[in-house]
Amino acid sequence: MNKLFIAAAATILLSSGAAYASDAGKPQWGYTGKGGPEHWGSLSPEFATCSTGKEQSPIDVPDAEGGTVKTNYNDTKVNVVNNGHTIQLNYGAGSTLESAGAEYDLLQFHFHSPSEHTLNGKSFPLEVHFVHKAQDGTLAVVGVMFEEGAENAELAKIWQNMPAKANEVITSDVTVNAGNLLPADQTVIRYAGSLTTPPCSEGVKWHVMTSPIEASKEQVEKFLSTVPANNRPLQPLNDRSFKTHKHSH
Ligand SMILES: [Zn+2]
């Protein structure tokens, strides 16, 4: 192989790499290889918290004493985004979560497969994150697990409008309600955590529901055939503690 050929090949690699980075405007992160979760903290100074943070998510949620929340979710028209990392439904204004005396607006919900949180060591095939924001900017996320079972009718409406390619959006007059993706028993376990994607910002008020809902095997497979497996590995608890159940023996 002559030197000219090597130089030309290197130039092509460099220029295509540079074009990719400048297109996105941000370092490329993902779930495997050089952009994978173990490298997030060093991909960019903005992502440093991914490796230096002490209250990171997800975690294994212990069998602890639960609390309650109140949701006031309205119907919203389907607006589904494939952002290359997940499938996300952007929510219309006016839906709220009340938790521990604070009120938050529902902004969007999105999915992870397999689940990011585990419940007392148990992983689930799918997890939905309902992302809310208070007036002061504080984020509150509600996580709900799906176990394999019957087809989920609310999920079916979203999946029918799932964009096949990254950076595509599908809007429709079909309406969905986030409340239909909540279990009957809405007991939550609260903990202080972070975004589970870069920049892994902390100060996120997590509410993980202890009761799962159902989705079919085919529904989980459709998600995984459209976006990659997108679960960040479990993060250390560090100084975070939980009130344990008072067992009656
Ligand atoms: Zn999430």
Side-chain angles (χ1 to χ4, degrees):
M1 195 182 281
N2 66 51
K3 277 183 185 168
L4 187 63
F5 179 82
I6 293 166
T11 305
I12 290 162
L13 284 173
L14 284 170
S15 61
S16 64
Y20 196 46
S22 65
D23 280 354
K26 283 177 185 170
Q28 296 297 314
W29 63 269
Y31 290 92
T32 55
K34 289 181 177 167
E38 64 272 34
H39 303 297
W40 287 353
S42 51
L43 288 176
S44 158
E46 289 171 61
F47 297 172
T49 307
C50 298
S51 50
T52 61
K54 294 286 180 269
E55 293 192 333
Q56 290 288 293
S57 296
I59 59 165
D60 177 39
V61 177
D63 184 16
E65 200 175 299
T68 57
V69 290
K70 188 167 184 286
T71 56
N72 310 284
Y73 294 158
N74 302 322
D75 288 356
T76 194
K77 279 189 183 175
V78 159
N79 182 332
V80 186
V81 181
N82 176 343
N83 64 19
H85 301 296
T86 189
I87 299 299
Q88 178 172 315
L89 189 139
N90 291 321
Y91 224 84
S95 291
T96 59
L97 169 78
E98 292 170 42
S99 172
E103 189 176 79
Y104 304 84
D105 293 311
L106 176 60
L107 304 180
Q108 48 100 342
F109 61 82
H110 63 265
F111 300 85
H112 298 269
S113 179
S115 68
E116 296 206 296
H117 292 93
T118 54
L119 297 182
N120 206 17
K122 188 180 191 307
S123 171
F124 292 81
L126 187 67
E127 177 175 350
V128 58
H129 289 161
F130 300 94
V131 181
H132 311 77
K133 197 179 197 176
Q135 291 278 321
D136 69 0
T138 304
L139 293 177
V141 186
V142 173
V144 177
M145 307 297 156
F146 291 77
E147 59 188 0
E148 195 181 304
E151 185 187 64
N152 185 301
E154 204 69 11
L155 203 57
K157 290 195 274 183
I158 302 163
W159 267 209
Q160 277 157 18
N161 293 288
M162 187 190 287
K165 290 186 188 141
N167 305 313
E168 281 183 357
V169 183
I170 293 181
T171 56
S172 152
D173 283 335
V174 171
T175 59
V176 291
N177 193 307
N180 294 335
L181 291 172
L182 297 177
D185 174 357
Q186 295 172 9
T187 301
V188 295
I189 297 191
R190 292 185 170 83
Y191 79 92
S194 73
L195 301 179
T196 66
T197 55
C200 307
S201 316
E202 296 189 338
V204 176
K205 294 183 184 294
W206 273 97
H207 305 71
V208 179
M209 290 198 173
T210 55
S211 294
I213 57 173
E214 292 183 11
S216 69
K217 189 167 187 261
E218 291 72 23
Q219 288 182 312
V220 175
E221 283 168 356
K222 175 163 184 182
F223 179 83
L224 284 174
S225 68
T226 307
V227 296
N230 62 349
N231 64 320
R232 185 188 194 195
L234 293 173
Q235 301 296 305
L237 272 183
N238 297 321
D239 292 337
R240 292 172 289 184
S241 61
F242 291 82
K243 276 188 206 166
T244 51
H245 271 305
K246 295 176 193 81
H247 287 287
S248 52
H249 289 293

